[in-house]
Amino acid sequence: MSNLSVSERLHEAAAPIWAKCLSHPFVTGIGDGTLDVEKFRYFMLQDYLYLFDYAKVFALGVVKARDPELMRIFAGNVESVLNGEMSLHRSYMKRLGITEAQVLAVRPALDNLSYTNYMLSVAGVGTPAEIVASILACSWSYAEIGQALARIPGALEHPFYGEWIQGYAGGEYAAANAALIELMNDLAKDASEAQMRDLTGIFVNCSRYELGFWDMAWEMRV
């Protein structure tokens, strides 16, 4: 058995993929302020649609939970996504002159659909631990990206991309992500090696989807 915690094992497994996310031209373009605004506009539209399904994955956690406290945790995260994280997107949509009705008329790209359908499939057949494993790859990788970009001189003050970096590098987002890491460790603390392989597979798959999402946004795929 490994001496690493559950979350440390997941992080170690996904580290090579996350390194590619951090060095992705879309991400570095946000950090140095050179990203084409049209690419960012496309990304925010697709990410807004993604977050509706992301919230549904948390909602399936409410269904799968067997004790009230875990139900409250999952329900709290549904609220946090719909009225917290998505507020950043709504702020950018206002700046870009996009209404929510216009967003909802956008078709999700195939990469987006594949990713969310995978998470919803995991949540539909899996345990609460597997649900968190599918969710955590997105949350944790964005926390790492936000913190990395915040260390670039002037990035937080950029007149356009600074708000995005502040959102994912901020203390509120970091605390929410830390709570998910703690939940992952708690739910899988007694996992067998076979169960750990399953959780790791889910986490790595979702990390691969995260990298694919950056590719999708960079290429503005349909």
Side-chain angles (χ1 to χ4, degrees), residues 71-84:
M71 289 179 70
R72 281 190 284 268
I73 290 171
F74 278 122
N77 277 282
V78 174
E79 166 70 16
S80 179
V81 172
L82 294 178
N83 295 313

Side-chain angles (χ1 to χ4, degrees), residues 13-215:
I17 303 168
W18 288 12
K20 291 179 181 178
C21 291
L22 283 168
S23 64
H24 196 283
F26 193 101
V27 174
T28 59
I30 293 175
D32 63 20
T34 62
L35 180 67
D36 185 335
V37 172
E38 280 304 303
K39 289 183 185 291
F40 187 75
R41 182 183 188 277
Y42 167 92
F43 165 73
M44 292 300 279
L45 291 172
Q46 290 293 325
D47 201 42
Y48 194 73
L49 297 177
Y50 165 89
L51 287 173
F52 280 115
D53 282 334
Y54 189 66
K56 290 177 185 178
V57 178
F58 277 116
L60 284 167
V62 177
V63 175
K64 295 294 183 75
R66 292 184 176 274
D67 70 86
E69 180 56 28
L70 185 55
M71 289 179 70
R72 281 190 284 268
I73 290 171
F74 278 122
N77 277 282
V78 174
E79 166 70 16
S80 179
V81 172
L82 294 178
N83 295 313
E85 186 171 358
M86 292 179 87
S87 65
L88 175 64
H89 294 65
R90 286 189 286 269
S91 172
Y92 270 103
M93 285 188 288
K94 184 176 181 180
R95 294 170 71 173
L96 292 165
I98 305 166
T99 66
E100 187 168 60
Q102 288 173 314
V103 180
L104 297 180
V106 172
R107 293 181 62 182
L110 193 60
D111 299 82
N112 194 351
L113 283 173
S114 178
Y115 186 5
T116 56
N117 284 345
Y118 176 75
M119 285 195 299
L120 289 165
S121 175
V122 167
V125 301
T127 64
E130 290 167 331
I131 291 172
V132 175
S134 73
I135 286 165
L136 187 56
C138 176
S139 173
W140 201 349
S141 67
Y142 268 64
E144 293 212 346
I145 287 169
Q147 290 158 18
L149 297 185
R151 292 191 289 270
I152 299 172
L156 287 169
E157 293 76 39
H158 189 275
F160 188 75
Y161 293 119
E163 183 182 358
W164 190 93
I165 298 169
Q166 290 168 29
Y168 289 105
E172 185 176 346
Y173 189 83
N177 181 66
L180 281 177
I181 293 171
E182 183 179 349
L183 181 61
M184 183 77 263
N185 287 330
D186 183 57
L187 290 175
K189 64 181 182 295
D190 297 320
S192 67
E193 279 302 305
Q195 290 169 325
M196 273 305 307
R197 284 194 295 273
D198 288 341
L199 293 172
T200 302
I202 292 166
F203 190 80
V204 168
N205 282 342
C206 287
S207 296
R208 292 171 63 199
Y209 273 121
E210 283 296 317
L211 179 57
F213 208 97
W214 296 120
D215 287 338

Side-chain angles (χ1 to χ4, degrees), residues 2-17:
S2 171
N3 292 323
L4 299 176
S5 69
V6 172
S7 61
E8 288 169 339
R9 291 179 66 177
L10 298 180
H11 190 282
E12 185 179 78
I17 303 168

